[in-house]
Amino acid sequence: MLKWIWGALVAAGLALASPAAFAAGPDGAQLVAWWGVPFAGLLLSIALGPLLVPAFWHHHFGKIAAFWGAAFLLPFALVFGVGAAWHGAVHAVVAEFIPFVILLTALFTTAGGICVHGKLRGGAWLNTGLLTLGTVLASIMGTTGAAMLLIRPLIRANDNRKHNVHVVVFFIFLVANAGGSLTPLGDPPLFLGFLQGVDFFWTAAYLWPETLFICAVLLGLFLLIDSYYFRQTGERQIESQDPAPHVEPLRLEGKRNFVLLAAAVGLVLMSGIWKPGVEFDVFGTPVALQNIARDVGLIVVTLMSLAITPRTAREGNAFNWEPMKEVAKLFAGIFLTIIPVVAILRAGEAGALGWVIRLVTGPGGAPDNIMYFWATGLLSSFLDNAPTYLVFFNTAGGDAATLMTSGAATLAAISAGAVFMGANTYIGNAPNFMVKAIAEQRGVRMPSFFGYMLWSGAILLPLFVVTTLIFF
């Protein structure tokens, strides 16, 4: 699945075998904004490729992501030295990309091994109930786990309907994003905050009003939209042609995967609580023992799921690796090309994007929580929301004890922006892409990159404006 990444790393490792190669990473204060061009190019490719050249994109998106990764790494190595490029690439792959892919693969595999058999009729109340269930589960088993568990039954329940795109779009809004805002297990940015010292239950205590408001409004709006479509003549005609329009008894196959999902959640929690103080140096990148134990455990969980899940369960889900391949290849490119962008942001006002930092600072140096919410959110829509969260976490002082008390409003704004606005684009959060890929495989004509942004711009942005007025 990731042969091209592995091959590039091996080749780089052979070329950079000397100790001098392991230099410090890029200094964001030295970088001009043009270093963000490969990242912007990859984003435009993701946006325009499926729209303009769908067949070419489908067969070569991995090569396109690799091209943009090389378009950053090679010039960067020439200008700043091989060591700086190597350090940045290894840190992105070892500290961020590999753990990211391992966790997503474990959740994707275990949730994909639980098959809900039976025929549901996708009416407005049933769909709203499934979305509500997924929204609640997202903070318990993560947005990826909840999304992979429920997206196939939801699509199957609505496969006889003429209008079903909105069902998947709201699923991304709620289950793949907003629902994961209450625990560090729900979304990667909150987990990074947990690792920085934020208490496990802090987000639930401080973000539940915003979460309840946003989710309740979205669910109510979905119920109205879905009821409208269901009443349309076209919907009724298709329903009348359904040979099995009534609800069939439901049964679960692959229930052992619930135990494995719980194990995956436990491993993630363990890596944030257990602190043995042991680290290993991987080509200049420190890797903590607890993180190695977590990742090895998640690999074991994945292999166990593949071994113990009945073949009929995965066949019932039409399970395949294509959605995971797409996410892995594209996010490999994103994690590489985002290196200079994050470095520039980390440089604060000394960096080429210092204006972003100045935006979140009010008169006298006091934090502007409204701007923290919107700056974190809008950047999280197009950058990876986990490093974006860390950038603004550190901009706000970086001390968890202070941010949880006197800076609680600022930390809440950063957390809410990173999690909620990950739904603004397909690339804002990894489950968005996975849900889109699965839906398209099942015959749902999902909106293009910009088409999806029309949905989020029309529904989410006004909702976030109201949220700002009420809570920030």
Side-chain angles (χ1 to χ4, degrees), residues 94 276-293:
V94 173
V278 178
E279 288 187 343
F280 300 92
D281 186 274
V282 181
F283 299 119
T285 295
V287 180
L289 176 61
Q290 63 267 29
N291 294 336
I292 295 176

Side-chain angles (χ1 to χ4, degrees), residues 160 234-245:
N160 64 318
E235 295 287 292
R236 292 179 176 177
Q237 288 176 348
I238 292 175
E239 181 188 1
S240 65
Q241 297 167 6
D242 187 355

Side-chain angles (χ1 to χ4, degrees), residues 66-86:
F67 165 79
W68 287 115
F72 156 67
L73 283 176
L74 295 180
F76 191 87
L78 289 174
V79 175
F80 294 100
V82 173
W86 169 258

Side-chain angles (χ1 to χ4, degrees), residues 45 61 72 137 147 157 167 170 174 197 220 226 228 243 255 264 299 339 342 348 387 399 426 434-435 444 469:
S45 299
F61 61 82
F72 156 67
L137 290 178
V167 178
F170 272 86
L174 286 157
D226 202 41
Y228 168 78
K255 292 188 289 291
I299 292 173
I339 291 171
V342 172
D399 180 65
Y426 281 136
M434 301 173 78
V435 170
V444 180
L469 295 175

Side-chain angles (χ1 to χ4, degrees), residues 6-73:
W6 176 248
L9 286 175
V10 170
L14 293 174
L16 303 168
S18 65
F22 309 138
D27 180 0
Q30 301 178 24
L31 302 179
V32 296
W34 286 106
W35 285 107
V37 168
F39 178 71
L42 178 55
L43 295 190
L44 284 174
S45 299
I46 293 171
L48 299 177
L51 188 65
L52 301 179
V53 284
F56 180 84
W57 173 258
H58 177 73
H59 289 96
H60 301 289
F61 61 82
K63 298 182 183 70
I64 295 170
F67 165 79
W68 287 115
F72 156 67
L73 283 176

Side-chain angles (χ1 to χ4, degrees), residues 111-116 152-153 156 312-319 442:
I114 302 170
C115 182
V116 181
R152 293 179 180 91
R156 198 158 54 238
T312 52
R314 296 202 186 276
E315 289 177 350
N317 282 331
F319 180 90
R442 302 299 291 260

